[in-house]
Amino acid sequence: MKLVLKNIDKSYGDKQVLKKVSYTFEKGKIYGLLGRNGAGKTTLFNCISGEIKYDNGNVTIIEDGKETEDINYRKVGYVFSEPALPEFLTGYEFLRFYIDINKDKIKKLLTIDEYFDIIKINEEDRYRLIKGYSHGMKNKMQMICILITKPPVILLDEPLTSFDVVVALEIKNLIIKMKSEHIIIFSTHILQLATDLCDEILVLNNYILEEVDSEVLKSVEFEEKIVEILKEKGND
């Protein structure tokens, strides 16, 4: 399976954010998306997921040698940097509702408590209103949704920044276990996280998506080279 971006353009009024963005992502790899604040990382994720409409280009998925004309957005899972969850429900009620509306997409269903156990949410918190959850707990709930439906394409927008050290390590290990059956793309400001997790690194800079040589990812000069790229024209 492949996710193919072809010449994606996106502007907000007179402000161009993405220009001729093209890339092919492959199943079984974790891709790190790096870029400075305001570079357009979230915009790119929103274009892939269908949250917003791009101006030009197309986003397609190739499965079994067949390329779809338009991406089926039900195949894309998105963990937002700012979780959008129904705060009037308890965690348990939300998962029960989420499972019910996604029954046709779930291949192997665990119990709700088993999902909570995987993501390490305490029993007493499962029956609290989501309104009272911390940012980190809300992000955990988003990760549970990904575990339930297991969409082919997974977008993670700054997924580990709100977790403590122990939980962040657990989530990292979980992402690594999942990668063989998915295309995983995550944006991050943490360069060490990119080197730990990623098979490929992409930089969004001056509206354009660039691939970083894999040899650079493995080198001791990785951070220096990424900073050098991001300091190039237009980012001062």
Side-chain angles (χ1 to χ4, degrees):
M1 180 182 66
K2 297 179 180 181
L3 169 69
V4 182
L5 311 184
K6 293 181 181 177
N7 297 319
I8 301 298
D9 292 331
K10 180 61 184 176
S11 298
Y12 297 104
D14 295 330
K15 179 178 173 57
Q16 185 160 28
V17 181
L18 303 174
K19 182 179 180 181
K20 303 297 181 186
V21 169
S22 297
Y23 196 77
T24 298
F25 300 89
E26 298 181 1
K27 184 176 78 169
K29 290 185 177 182
I30 299 175
Y31 297 85
L33 177 62
L34 304 180
R36 299 182 72 171
N37 287 338
K41 300 185 300 296
T42 298
T43 294
L44 180 59
F45 276 4
N46 286 339
C47 289
I48 294 172
S49 68
E51 291 292 318
I52 61 174
K53 182 64 179 174
Y54 38 87
D55 301 326
N56 296 296
N58 56 61
V59 180
T60 58
I61 286 181
I62 298 175
E63 290 185 280
D64 301 321
K66 297 179 181 179
E67 183 172 2
T68 58
E69 290 186 7
D70 293 294
I71 189 170
N72 180 350
Y73 295 112
R74 288 167 60 85
K75 293 181 179 291
V76 180
Y78 192 169
V79 173
F80 298 89
S81 58
E82 293 295 330
L85 299 170
E87 298 191 335
F88 57 89
L89 296 178
T90 66
Y92 195 95
E93 288 170 337
F94 169 65
L95 288 191
R96 186 171 59 191
F97 168 74
Y98 187 81
I99 288 170
D100 187 55
I101 64 172
N102 288 285
K103 283 181 179 177
D104 62 324
K105 294 193 290 183
I106 301 172
K107 295 180 180 178
K108 181 180 179 182
L109 182 62
L110 305 178
T111 67
I112 292 176
D113 283 316
E114 284 174 325
Y115 286 116
F116 276 127
D117 289 341
I118 291 172
I119 214 72
K120 301 294 191 297
I121 289 183
N122 295 328
E123 190 169 347
E124 60 269 22
D125 291 326
R126 303 173 189 186
Y127 298 94
R128 289 173 50 211
L129 290 177
I130 293 174
K131 182 178 181 179
Y133 281 11
S134 67
H135 187 82
M137 286 182 64
K138 290 177 181 178
N139 264 346
K140 282 186 176 185
M141 293 298 294
Q142 291 194 101
M143 288 301 298
I144 293 177
C145 292
I146 294 295
L147 290 175
I148 291 172
T149 54
K150 295 185 176 179
V153 178
I154 299 174
L155 308 176
L156 306 174
D157 195 355
E158 299 286 348
L160 304 180
T161 53
S162 59
F163 294 144
D164 63 39
V165 175
V166 175
V167 176
L169 179 59
E170 292 170 346
I171 299 297
K172 280 170 60 176
N173 291 335
L174 184 61
I175 292 171
I176 291 171
K177 287 180 181 177
M178 294 176 69
K179 81 170 187 175
S180 64
E181 295 300 321
H182 302 269
I183 295 170
I184 299 177
I185 313 168
F186 76 89
S187 67
T188 182
H189 290 97
I190 306 172
L191 295 182
Q192 184 60 52
L193 180 59
T195 58
D196 288 347
L197 272 178
C198 295
D199 301 293
E200 305 284 351
I201 294 290
L202 304 170
V203 174
L204 190 55
N205 192 44
N206 298 316
Y207 329 122
I208 297 169
L209 190 66
E210 306 174 69
E211 183 177 9
V212 176
D213 191 309
S214 58
E215 293 302 316
V216 173
L217 176 59
K218 300 171 186 176
S219 73
V220 294
E221 296 88 11
F222 170 71
E223 292 190 9
E224 181 181 335
K225 289 182 181 295
I226 292 298
V227 170
E228 184 179 327
I229 292 171
L230 295 178
K231 280 186 175 179
E232 290 177 0
K233 59 187 178 183
N235 278 317
D236 294 332

